[in-house]
Amino acid sequence: MDKKITKIIIFAGIVIFAAVIVFAYLVSRPVNNGAEEEVGGGAGTFPTGGESQGGRRSSRSGGNDGSDSSSKKQNQEAAALIRLTNVPVSGAGFYGTSSVLYMERATGHIYKVKTDGTERTRLSNTTILKTFDSLWSPKGDKLAVRYFEESSGGEAGLDVKTFLASAGHLFKATSTEEMVLRGVALPDSVTEVAASPFEDKVFYLNGAGGMTEGIVSGYDNKNQKKIFELPFGEFNVSWPAKDIIALLTKPSYTADGYLYFLNQKTGSLSKAFGGIKGLTALVSPAGDKIVFSGIVNGSMETMIFDLKKNSISSFGIKTFPEKCTWSRKNKDMIYCAAPANFTDGKYPDSWYQGEQSFDDLSWSKNLITGEIKIISQKFGADVINPKISEDDAYLIFTDKNNGHLWSLKLK
């Protein structure tokens, strides 16, 4: 009987000990209840890692997934990623080096938020429905807003409206009455707008009267200067360098594309290069280099054109220039997002039209050394409109899939 009782006691002790171990494990496990992380409140660390490509293409055909068996150096760079909004934005820009200004796409309200997602403040209460583009001045105190409005011509459809606004007073507003966005409307015949990255000026194409005029003005639309006139005007416009305005023919895989440079001071128009189907391009702030993509031998390729050397070479990353931005501190450094897996298609049309979406990684490339580094892994975003802070510490960009704004810390 004593031996039987002893066995029972030992068995019970083992059971109790096992139960304690299981309980301790369950208590220590992190709980995930499926709740979405609070916007801006949960700055997560991006999955780190990547390889220095040394200018080599990925060993996988058409891919940018970072897997290159020939790479010899591992680069582990922490990149903090923060979602700044959980609603679509029509545009964003930096305010100083530590804050971001953005406009909500649905309401047209302007907000200011820290690059780490904290201290969010609504600056304006003027409602502008269906905004799709907002271009900020260098200091962030002015902007050009483009939005859709129901057609007033008696036909069903939408008209594109353009509004040049002053926002400087919004930073000092102390009441709702002072949070009104003030400005001036441009003619309905305006088809494209670009903002200078160096001065408080805008450039716009005005297609009235059967001709297309190119006009430079202030954000109050005063001191207008017509710098060219053409009988056609199907261009995308940008203002990459102080005196260079870039005119790119509307890209399509079925049509040869051309890039022109327009000097804002002299009004001279010159062809940079072209004759490439599906041509898209991004000009450097110095105006001496162009990253471009287009259809070559039936497949999309990304190249770089050095205007000083008059040479074209492979960029080393297959992507669209719309996913890139130039460094503010190093003229030979560029940051790009690129699809992890790039399949051939009718580009850029299928991407523009939403038929094709991508899961991007982020890269940096030094054009002098040729060194390429992964600075963030893919996380489901199709990156557009990247911008970099003046100190090269932060990137902001929009996810094309849902319009949400993100911040990526580089240092």
Side-chain angles (χ1 to χ4, degrees), residues 58 60-67 318 337-343 358-361 363 377-379 381:
S58 168
R60 295 187 181 182
S61 175
N64 294 301
D65 63 357
S67 57
K318 183 176 284 193
N341 295 292
F342 208 120
T343 57
F358 299 106
D359 190 357
D360 290 336
L361 300 87
W363 305 72
Q377 299 289 348
K378 59 184 180 180
F379 71 107

Side-chain angles (χ1 to χ4, degrees), residues 339-360:
N341 295 292
F342 208 120
T343 57
D344 287 335
K346 297 178 179 179
Y347 298 123
D349 307 49
S350 58
W351 181 57
Y352 286 172
Q353 296 164 7
E355 298 172 0
Q356 178 69 54
S357 182
F358 299 106
D359 190 357
D360 290 336

Side-chain angles (χ1 to χ4, degrees), residues 54 87 94 115 159 362:
V87 296
F94 282 97
T115 49
D159 293 331
S362 296

Side-chain angles (χ1 to χ4, degrees), residues 85 87-95 99-113 119-129 131 133-137 139-146 163-171 173 178-183 405:
T85 74
V87 296
V89 303
S90 58
F94 282 97
Y95 185 70
S99 295
V100 174
L101 301 172
Y102 68 89
M103 175 173 280
E104 280 189 353
R105 185 187 299 173
T107 65
H109 294 162
I110 296 172
Y111 289 81
K112 180 164 76 90
V113 64
E119 300 182 30
R120 187 186 315 275
T121 305
R122 192 174 81 171
L123 299 179
S124 75
N125 57 12
T126 301
T127 299
I128 308 174
L129 302 178
T131 63
D133 198 11
S134 54
L135 305 169
W136 301 82
S137 66
K139 293 182 180 180
D141 58 346
K142 301 175 183 67
L143 70 158
V145 184
R146 309 204 75 204
F163 184 73
L164 301 180
S166 172
H169 65 284
L170 299 177
F171 300 101
E178 297 174 338
M179 294 170 62
V180 177
L181 192 63
R182 308 184 186 120
L405 182 66

Side-chain angles (χ1 to χ4, degrees), residues 364-385:
S364 65
K365 177 165 184 174
N366 187 306
L367 300 178
I368 297 298
T369 65
E371 185 179 35
I372 300 175
K373 294 180 181 180
I374 297 177
I375 57 174
S376 70
Q377 299 289 348
K378 59 184 180 180
F379 71 107
D382 191 350
V383 173
I384 56 172
N385 300 328

Side-chain angles (χ1 to χ4, degrees), residues 4 50 144 227 346:
K4 186 175 182 179
I227 58 176
K346 297 178 179 179

